[in-house]
Each structure stands twice: as C-alpha cells, then as structure tokens.
Amino acid sequence: MRVYKFGGASVKDAEGVKSLGKIVQSNFESPLVVVVSAMGKMTNAFEEITNLYFGKQDRLDKALDKIRNYHLEVIDKLFLASQDNLIEQLEELFSDLKLFFRGNFHQNRAFVYDQIVVYGELLCTKIIHHYLNSIGLDNVLIDSRKCIKTDSYFRDANLNWQLTIELIKKFVHPKKVTLAQGFIASDLAGNSTTLGREGSDYTAAIFGYALDAQSVTVWKDVRGIMNGNPKIFDPTVLLKRVSYREAIELAYYGASVIHPKTIQPVQRKKIPFFVRSFQEPHITGTKIGLGHKLKPKVSCFIKKENLVLLKISTLDFSFLIEKNISEVFALLDRYQMRVELTQNSAISFSVCFSNKYRRLIELISVLKKKFKVVVYRDVMLYTIRHFDQQAIDRISKNGKRVLLEQRTLETAQFVCI
C-alpha cells in the first residue's frame, strides 16, 4: 500500500487533473490511496463564503455561483461527453451547503468555517473520481469525514488516533485506488472539522500510518523541499535528503512545503516520505527518512508574516516570576493564539504569535488589567536553521527593523517590522 497526495495547485484545472491521472496510472502497481485537496484557490473562496455568511449574506448566491462555474468549467474541459450525473451530484453538494445556511444557529465562527470549507475537497474529489473512471482507472471514493475522527477543536482539530485507524482499515479498498479528501474530518457528533490550513499532507501521513504504507508521496508544484521559499529567498537549493527530525524542525518553524504535524506519524513507523513535482514527475525530489540531517548541508530560511509581538511587563516594575508567565500562557491558550517565539528577562516577557482566530483585542484587554502591554502588529518572523554569518547577512540586507532576536546552537530567529 502506498499513499499519494495532490495539492490544490496540482488539480487547479483540467490539465492538472489529467496529469494526476497519468501519474496514478503510471505508478499503479499495488493498492494506492490518493488524497486530494480542493482545486486551486477554492479553500480561499470558501473562506470568503464564511466571511459573507457573517457579514453580507445578500452576496452569498453570487459568490457560490462563481465557485460553481469554476468547477463546471473544469468538467467541460475534462470530459468529451456530457456529465449530467456528475453535475447533479455537485448540485446536491451546493444544496446541502445552502441548507446549512438556512438551518444553522451557531455563532461560533470556527464551527461555521469548518462546516463550509469542507465543500472544496468534496467537490474536487467528485470530479476526479468520475475522471479516473473515464480513463479506465477503477477507484473507490470515500468521505474522509467518515474515517478520520477528531475532537471538536474546530479549524485545528486533534485526532482520535485509535478510532481513525480502525475506520481507515474498514473504508480503504485493499486492491483498488481509494480516493479521499485531505484536510477534512469530523468529530464524534458528526460535525465537520478541519486539520489546520494545508492539512492535506497530514491527512496523507495519517493514512500512511494507519495502513503501514510502503511510502507516502506528496505531489506539489515545486521540485521538492527547497532551503527557502523561492518567491522570497533567491537563490535557493533543492534539499535531496532530509532526516525526519530535521523535517519536523523545519515544519515547526513554518516551512511552507510541509504541514507541521505531517512527519511524526511516518517517523514512528519509519515510512519514507517523498516530496515530488507533479510537473516533473521524473525528478526524484526530496526524500525524508533516516540518515543525514540535510543533503546538501546548507542554511535553511523561513519567513512568517502577519504575526503579533507583545512585550509584557508588570505595572509596578517588579520581577516577572513563573506565576506571571504561566498566567500569560493560560490566556494565550484561552484566546487561541499559536505561539511562535518567546523570550523573557527579569522584568519583561515577549511573545510572538499568530492571531489566526482574530481574538487579539480580547486578549489585550484582559492582559492590560494586570500588565503593561506594548503591541506590535503585522510583524515578520525570520528563522534560519544551520545559520552562519553569511546567512544572517542575507536577512539583514532587507533593511527591516529588528524588534527581537534569539539564537540557539542551530537556529537563529529575528522578529522584524
């Protein structure tokens, strides 16, 4: 059993779906699970649907029509004959979504988000399922929400591993191609949940772990894992081999090619993990596994944007003690802030985090009751793994103002504005 995952960029149009079909056909020598994301920028489009639901519902129909037309255009270019049955199935999904709009009474934005965005993956896999059948590749389409079970922490749900493993073994076909959605899951009450943005890689790792897969391969629009995002850092180098531990470190610090939770499941069972290009499938790409930390051994650059930096001190300039810091962390957890970096001195505590759930104002209002708080919005966090002075100089050339700097033996980080 092997697992393939195709991201949104690889199935953004009819040509992408055809390329997926060729890759699956040419590599189908044993049972295969194919995990697929939403097409192109459809997750962004459904996020906008969520925003309209809470703000401008009179614009919902127009926005949904745009999404519908996008998928109908793909179908029109993908198939020679009419696909009335497929189109009818897509219309049923849109009807289900509209039914949710009318019947929902929840005001929890994260809950509503998860009930809406899952339709990107559901629409995509319907189309791919029919296309694979049309080229003679018999496949079984499953709903990942029926076999990947989580808690109810919407938008970043935590896996129920034992139940998920049992259900995956039940739903995955032992001989055919099994087609499943990435990113989406459900809680024990049957509500849709998601595994965190870009969580489809994690989905592939979950299937790989549950099925003791021979390998997990993620097909992307890049040649493999580079030592930096080519759109930000130039020039960049392809990392041909990366150890599990190093991949976890890179993902933790925000390397965009890998989802932070992805590597640990495959590491536990020593399953080789490949990152390859769907545009150049003949290239080996990057292999993550046992062995060298990095090959070649170079500095790796990561940049995160739109973060918040808080500098916290006591109102009476007394020392910040463990009790104060634990109180701050409890508040960060309560208001769902993902911490990226912390630093403390005798009288101050600095924390850089993502305001993903838009609860910064609530957090600050509570903190100011007990602490002096200085807020820096829209900061950037640069991380360099295996840094040297030349690597640091590449960051400093940007001319950004450094608000906070932190170094360990192998990692240097800079919060800039």
Side-chain angles (χ1 to χ4, degrees):
M1 181 69 70
R2 289 170 299 148
V3 179
Y4 281 179
K5 178 263 176 178
F6 292 86
S10 59
V11 291
K12 65 181 180 180
D13 52 27
E15 291 306 312
V17 174
K18 290 177 182 178
S19 295
L20 178 152
K22 291 177 182 177
I23 290 172
V24 172
Q25 275 187 320
S26 63
N27 291 277
F28 184 51
E29 303 165 352
S30 59
L32 184 67
V33 174
V34 177
V35 175
V36 185
S37 302
M39 288 183 163
K41 299 294 184 181
M42 281 299 105
T43 299
N44 291 344
F46 278 104
E47 285 180 343
E48 179 58 23
I49 294 293
T50 305
N51 293 335
L52 293 175
Y53 175 81
F54 281 104
K56 300 175 181 177
Q57 291 199 10
D58 57 310
R59 299 186 184 180
L60 275 173
D61 286 342
K62 185 177 180 179
L64 284 173
D65 284 342
K66 187 175 181 180
I67 292 173
R68 178 189 289 103
N69 291 337
Y70 182 99
H71 290 88
L72 292 177
E73 183 178 343
V74 171
I75 292 171
D76 186 54
K77 293 180 179 179
L78 198 56
F79 298 96
L80 296 175
S82 61
Q83 296 292 317
D84 293 339
N85 183 41
L86 171 56
I87 293 171
E88 184 179 333
Q89 291 179 34
L90 297 194
E91 292 297 346
E92 287 177 3
L93 290 173
F94 283 109
S95 295
D96 290 344
L97 181 55
K98 289 182 177 180
L99 188 62
F100 169 76
F101 292 153
R102 291 195 296 269
N104 174 62
F105 297 101
H106 282 267
Q107 290 303 305
N108 181 327
R109 193 181 188 95
F111 169 83
V112 173
Y113 175 100
D114 277 3
Q115 310 320 301
I116 293 174
V117 297
V118 297
Y119 282 89
E121 276 70 19
L122 296 172
L123 290 164
C124 180
T125 49
K126 285 283 187 184
I127 295 171
I128 292 174
H129 169 61
H130 281 258
Y131 176 72
L132 293 180
N133 281 334
S134 75
I135 61 173
L137 196 56
D138 195 14
N139 69 101
V140 176
L141 174 61
I142 64 174
D143 187 334
S144 290
R145 295 175 298 177
K146 292 184 178 180
C147 56
I148 298 184
K149 293 296 180 178
T150 68
D151 62 10
S152 300
Y153 195 93
F154 298 103
R155 293 197 67 179
D156 199 7
N158 300 293
L159 207 66
N160 181 328
W161 275 100
Q162 182 176 348
L163 181 56
T164 295
I165 291 169
E166 292 174 5
L167 292 170
I168 283 176
K169 290 179 177 179
K170 174 183 176 182
F171 279 94
V172 170
H173 198 283
K175 295 182 179 179
K176 297 181 180 180
V177 172
T178 300
L179 181 63
Q181 305 83 18
F183 178 55
I184 73 175
S186 68
D187 63 15
L188 297 181
N191 299 307
S192 296
T193 59
T194 58
L195 302 176
R197 203 68 157 82
E198 309 298 336
S200 293
D201 291 359
Y202 185 36
T203 303
I206 293 166
F207 274 101
Y209 181 92
L211 298 168
D212 294 311
Q214 175 185 328
S215 63
V216 175
T217 302
V218 173
W219 297 89
K220 292 183 177 286
D221 59 346
V222 292
R223 297 176 63 204
I225 300 176
M226 312 300 287
N227 73 320
N229 185 338
K231 297 177 182 178
I232 302 172
F233 305 99
D234 184 45
T236 55
V237 176
L238 174 66
L239 304 176
K240 296 180 179 180
R241 293 290 299 269
V242 182
S243 70
Y244 290 120
R245 181 180 179 85
E246 185 62 29
I248 291 171
E249 293 286 353
L250 290 172
Y252 172 79
Y253 287 115
S256 58
V257 177
I258 319 165
H259 186 273
K261 297 178 181 177
T262 299
I263 304 303
Q264 285 183 319
V266 294
Q267 180 192 28
R268 289 174 188 169
K269 291 193 175 180
K270 297 182 174 59
I271 299 170
F273 187 95
F274 297 90
V275 180
R276 298 176 64 182
S277 169
F278 71 89
Q279 297 167 327
E280 302 174 279
H282 58 282
I283 295 176
T284 304
T286 300
K287 178 181 179 181
I288 299 173
L290 298 172
H292 299 290
K293 285 184 178 181
L294 286 176
K295 184 180 180 181
K297 183 69 177 293
V298 293
S299 297
C300 296
F301 301 86
I302 301 162
K303 179 185 178 183
K304 283 190 172 183
E305 297 180 300
N306 303 316
L307 301 178
V308 177
L309 176 67
L310 296 187
K311 293 194 173 184
I312 300 166
S313 57
T314 55
L315 293 172
D316 58 2
F317 296 101
S318 60
F319 289 161
L320 271 172
I321 58 176
E322 289 81 357
K323 182 179 179 181
N324 301 129
I325 295 173
S326 65
E327 185 177 351
V328 172
F329 270 108
L331 290 170
L332 290 166
D333 178 63
R334 181 190 304 172
Y335 292 101
Q336 299 174 284
M337 304 298 177
R338 188 190 186 283
V339 175
E340 304 287 347
L341 178 68
T342 65
Q343 189 176 92
N344 66 284
S345 66
I347 60 171
S348 68
F349 176 73
S350 297
V351 57
C352 183
F353 55 83
S354 167
N355 183 30
K356 175 180 176 179
Y357 294 92
R358 303 180 183 181
R359 303 187 68 184
L360 179 62
I361 294 174
E362 296 175 74
L363 173 65
I364 293 172
S365 65
V366 175
L367 283 171
K368 283 188 173 180
K369 293 177 181 178
K370 191 168 183 179
F371 302 99
K372 178 183 177 182
V373 182
V374 179
V375 185
Y376 298 91
R377 292 176 170 83
D378 296 323
V379 302
M380 296 165 285
L381 174 61
Y382 290 93
T383 301
I384 311 173
R385 286 282 294 167
H386 312 293
F387 66 93
D388 55 22
Q389 190 56 49
Q390 185 178 3
I392 292 174
D393 290 343
R394 286 185 67 176
I395 300 299
S396 62
K397 287 179 182 178
N398 291 326
K400 302 293 184 182
R401 176 187 169 198
V402 177
L403 300 175
L404 187 150
E405 177 179 341
Q406 187 165 278
R407 303 187 192 191
T408 62
L409 187 62
E410 294 188 311
T411 305
Q413 293 186 282
F414 306 88
V415 179
C416 304
I417 195 168

